[in-house]
Amino acid sequence: MKALLLLHLLAQLCSASLVPEREKDPEYWRRQAQETLRNALRLQRLNQNVAKNLILFLGDGMGVSTVTAARILKGQLQHGQGEESLLEMEKFPYVALAKTYNTNAQVPDSAGTATAYLCGVKANEGTLGVSAGVTRDRCNTTKGQEVTSILRWAKDAGKAVGIVTTTRVTHATPSAAYAHSANRDWYSDGEMPPDALEGGCKDIARQLVENIPDIEVIMGGGRKYMFPKNASDVEYPHEEKHRGTRLDRRNLVQAWHSAKPPGKVAKYVWHRRELLALNLSRVDFLLGESWHPGGCEEEGAGGVEAAEARGDAEGAGPCPSGGRIDHGHHEGKAKQALHEAVELDRAIGLATRLTSAQDTLSVVTADHSHVFTFGGYTPRGNPIFGLAPMQSDVDRKPFTSILYGNGPGYKIVAGERENVSAVDFAHADYQAQSAVPLRQETHGGEDVAVFARGPMAHLLHGVHEQNYIPHAMAYAACIGSNRAHCNAGARPAAPLLLPFLALLLLLC
């Protein structure tokens, strides 16, 4: 390890050689700026078409520092220095900031924020698809406080819709699209307290099947919440933790099938080979609760291609979600979080190639940030998971560029901060050092970025409340309440299905 540190220090001494020759020429930067200026001037011709398709990509926990670090990682995975790289989302022409606070929380959670960017209404921490009049855990405050999402607005306008996520489909991030709950953790009735059951509140998995029964595509994890208590899992039949949890003994997959209109083809899949075997052009409804019963185990983001395979022209209102960015950060495992962010960006790139900015509004954002950072005066091209080029001038120990404000990476060895030169800090499970010890790292409270491309993307600009996002998207697609402009000669949008499946094939 001493040799590794010596090589690292020698690399810093030669950092001048890391500057590409072209960047030493001032004309390189002037030409780049002029090209950027010409592209910006072209944006004066606003795209005011009616959006046929809406795609919302949500990186759970993908704060600005995560976006920047993922950009560098992407470039380094492609054998570049990293800093000059561009994520697919960063190629979108319009960027805004969204204020993420919940109505009762300065630093938000994923449920209150999901209610904002999907339902257009800010809510209390821990509550889903309801107004701030609902108190977390209190079922009796829910009635009459339900709010609907952009997915419902699209469905009411005759569009086909879908949800794709790398978490469980009953997780807070996707479930605000269809559920109304006083507690984000009420995945099945097995997780609900007796008073909530007696009060008539429904669990989230049941609402997935009953509230909007004609969602065309649903893909993610969490199948154990769909099956009777103690029912063996199809993939892990001998593992108790994966058994069904439902106290009502219902099989919600069967209920999902039964709710489909006669003559419509509904398919349930739980494995990659089943998905590959489908002729998607002959499938009307698809429920994929695959990979792992609690969420997706492997890296990857939801895909973008079902409508292309089916031959449908248009689509609206889905939420492909990179949910495990959040999981990696909570565990202090930056490598896992950043690789998931890069995989989400691959899905964004695929969607960009499969759709046109003339008729498809694509929006990429995050629900909240994390207390994740990187620094330490690292030189150009420094491995994003590497060491800073200096030791602490207090405890004389090295430190990694990536650090957390709090979390499980806080370690004291012999009364002092752990010496990272004695550990494998490049390992996928390495937990980066944190300032405050916590079993789980927390969210951050700063604004998150909103990237937009396509019809009316210019409506996403400046600094907005997070709940503005679905209203702008709905305006672009002539769905929801703002439709007066659609009756003034604007081209109407036809019934459609949002394209979005391909990268799911990478997951299992």
Side-chain angles (χ1 to χ4, degrees):
M1 187 58 74
K2 289 182 179 179
L4 177 63
L5 286 172
L6 179 59
L7 288 172
H8 186 78
L9 291 172
L10 287 173
Q12 314 318 315
L13 293 175
C14 302
S15 61
S17 66
L18 297 177
V19 180
E21 282 301 313
R22 65 181 184 180
E23 294 185 13
K24 296 177 182 179
D25 181 359
E27 280 306 308
Y28 167 79
W29 298 107
R30 293 172 184 141
R31 288 193 301 270
Q32 184 189 80
Q34 289 299 315
E35 177 61 24
T36 303
L37 178 59
R38 287 191 291 272
N39 290 336
L41 290 170
R42 282 193 283 270
L43 294 179
Q44 292 182 100
R45 299 190 293 272
L46 299 178
N47 179 349
Q48 300 188 61
N49 295 340
V50 173
K52 294 181 180 179
N53 307 310
L54 298 178
I55 308 179
L56 174 61
F57 287 95
L58 194 286
D60 196 324
M62 190 177 67
V64 172
S65 58
T66 298
V67 171
T68 307
R71 174 203 307 151
I72 295 172
L73 174 60
K74 176 183 177 180
Q76 293 180 351
L77 289 172
Q78 296 171 344
H79 309 294
Q81 292 176 306
E83 297 83 5
E84 72 289 345
S85 180
L86 267 183
L87 294 169
E88 298 297 331
M89 67 185 84
E90 294 175 322
K91 298 175 185 177
F92 287 17
Y94 297 96
V95 182
L97 291 176
K99 297 189 284 184
T100 63
Y101 68 91
N102 296 151
T103 46
N104 66 341
Q106 186 179 73
V107 177
D109 91 311
S110 294
T113 52
T115 303
Y117 63 75
L118 288 173
C119 302
V121 173
K122 287 223 172 192
N124 289 330
E125 175 269 339
T127 64
L128 285 167
V130 292
S131 75
V134 173
T135 303
R136 185 170 185 171
D137 292 323
R138 292 182 57 186
C139 169
N140 61 359
T141 64
T142 306
K143 189 173 182 180
Q145 299 297 323
E146 299 89 349
V147 293
T148 57
S149 74
I150 189 170
L151 187 140
R152 165 59 78 181
W153 309 341
K155 179 52 66 177
D156 288 346
K159 300 181 183 293
V161 298
I163 299 169
V164 178
T165 180
T166 54
T167 67
R168 62 182 71 91
V169 293
T170 49
H171 185 270
T173 299
S175 62
Y178 59 83
H180 314 285
S181 180
N183 190 315
R184 57 176 288 176
D185 298 326
W186 291 349
Y187 303 123
S188 78
D189 58 351
E191 285 75 41
M192 295 177 68
D195 66 299
L197 293 172
E198 293 165 5
C201 283
K202 296 180 182 180
D203 63 88
I204 295 169
R206 181 179 170 188
Q207 293 188 61
L208 172 65
V209 173
E210 296 181 355
N211 284 6
I212 311 178
D214 50 354
I215 299 174
E216 278 74 10
V217 179
I218 303 168
M219 304 202 79
R223 62 176 174 257
K224 69 180 182 179
Y225 305 113
M226 307 287 282
F227 294 98
K229 187 172 179 63
N230 293 324
S232 295
D233 182 70
V234 64
E235 189 172 3
Y236 304 96
H238 304 299
E239 296 188 29
E240 185 174 351
K241 66 179 181 179
H242 297 322
R243 291 178 181 172
T245 64
R246 300 202 62 79
L247 300 178
D248 60 11
R249 312 299 300 171
R250 293 183 67 190
N251 180 326
L252 291 185
V253 173
Q254 289 181 355
W256 174 82
H257 268 288
S258 300
K260 300 299 172 283
K264 297 292 184 180
V265 178
K267 294 289 186 180
Y268 170 75
V269 298
W270 65 269
H271 197 278
R272 178 177 182 270
R273 62 173 173 264
E274 295 180 312
L275 183 61
L276 288 172
L278 290 177
N279 182 343
L280 293 176
S281 64
R282 298 180 180 178
V283 175
D284 299 295
F285 298 96
L286 177 62
L287 173 60
E289 287 196 305
S290 35
W291 4 118
H292 185 274
C296 298
E297 283 291 286
E298 302 181 34
E299 294 173 357
V304 270
E305 182 174 69
E308 293 289 321
R310 290 182 40 162
D312 290 311
E314 308 167 0
C319 185
S321 165
R324 295 183 70 81
I325 300 169
D326 182 71
H327 295 174
H329 280 323
H330 278 309
E331 294 177 11
K333 297 177 180 178
K335 197 163 195 176
Q336 295 186 13
L338 295 185
H339 275 279
E340 174 77 353
V342 172
E343 288 298 313
L344 174 63
D345 198 60
R346 289 178 64 196
I348 294 165
L350 179 58
T352 301
R353 293 190 295 275
L354 290 175
T355 60
S356 168
Q358 292 305 304
D359 62 12
T360 300
L361 173 61
S362 298
V363 176
V364 183
T365 190
D367 47 355
H368 53 73
S369 185
H370 277 267
V371 291
F372 161 86
T373 189
F374 68 100
Y377 300 116
T378 47
R380 178 78 175 270
N382 197 73
I384 191 62
F385 302 116
L387 293 173
M390 56 194 288
Q391 292 184 343
S392 165
D393 58 5
V394 177
D395 64 14
R396 304 301 175 186
K397 291 184 175 67
F399 58 96
T400 57
S401 172
I402 285 175
L403 296 167
Y404 286 93
N406 57 53
Y410 179 94
K411 292 182 178 66
I412 297 297
V413 178
E416 297 182 347
R417 181 173 66 91
E418 182 181 51
N419 191 330
V420 295
S421 64
V423 300
D424 183 4
F425 52 79
H427 194 277
D429 288 328
Y430 173 70
Q431 293 176 307
Q433 291 184 339
S434 67
V436 176
L438 287 176
R439 290 187 178 89
Q440 289 275 300
E441 176 264 3
T442 72
H443 297 167
E446 69 269 24
D447 299 350
V448 296
V450 186
F451 304 92
R453 166 187 182 266
M456 297 292 181
H458 56 278
L459 297 179
L460 291 160
H461 64 92
V463 181
H464 301 296
E465 294 286 0
Q466 193 172 37
N467 67 292
Y468 169 72
I469 295 171
H471 292 285
M473 295 181 70
Y475 183 93
C478 289
I479 61 176
S481 58
N482 287 332
R483 304 187 63 176
H485 63 293
C486 305
N487 299 324
R491 176 173 46 80
L496 62 173
L497 176 70
L498 178 75
F500 61 169
L501 268 196
L503 291 187
L504 286 166
L505 308 184
L506 302 175
L507 295 178
C508 298

